[in-house]
Amino acid sequence: MHLYAISDLHLSGAVPTKAMDIFGPQWQDHAGKIEQAWKKLVAEDDVVLVPGDISWAMTMEEAKCDIDWIRALPGKKIIIKGNHDFWWGSIGRVRAMLGENMYALQNDCVTLSDIVIAGSRGWTCPNGSTDTPEDLKIYQREAIRMELSLQQAKKTGLPITVMMHYPPFNER
């Protein structure tokens, strides 16, 4: 089993007006390029972490085609919510949409073979100069979510791999 990670897919299956090619020619058919590389590298028994910004969709119904696209790719996929995943509803509804070989983390962990994956979206780390009350509130909530995830992961006694959407540091 190999462990891979890819973030910020920003798929736009149901929202073609949000295609990534607006950011330049290097983004032309970015989903096709991802699919080609994924199929070349990832085997069915591998694990792929997808830590957020999965789809530009605004609703779960719109995101379904992007989730289906990911599910059809090889490997077991573990996802967490990113700051642009506005489609992400309750964790129960998200998990019900995923089907086999896909797992969504929120306040918990997933054990696959001999590893456990914990994680949280995270948020911009406080730096003192540009923090807003809203940012601090989100950051504190995400810290609690990470703690819950890690507490559950520690109970397994297995090596823990952590995934986050935001890096756990600031410019300092």
Side-chain angles (χ1 to χ4, degrees), residues 34-106:
I34 292 167
E35 180 178 11
Q36 183 180 16
W38 192 310
K39 287 179 175 178
K40 182 179 175 182
L41 294 172
V42 179
E44 285 300 331
D45 63 337
D46 291 337
V47 175
V48 181
L49 308 180
V50 185
D53 288 359
I54 297 162
S55 173
W56 281 119
M58 296 300 287
T59 67
M60 290 186 65
E61 292 74 24
E62 288 177 347
K64 186 173 183 334
C65 65
D66 295 330
I67 294 297
D68 290 346
W69 181 85
I70 294 169
R71 184 179 36 254
L73 295 170
K76 298 170 185 73
K77 283 72 77 175
I78 303 173
I79 66 172
I80 59 173
K81 182 180 181 178
N83 61 309
H84 292 130
D85 287 318
F86 299 114
W87 60 271
W88 190 290
S90 72
I91 191 62
R93 288 188 65 214
V94 171
R95 288 177 176 158
M97 180 172 68
L98 298 181
E100 287 189 40
N101 291 325
M102 284 190 78
Y103 309 89
L105 292 182
Q106 187 170 306

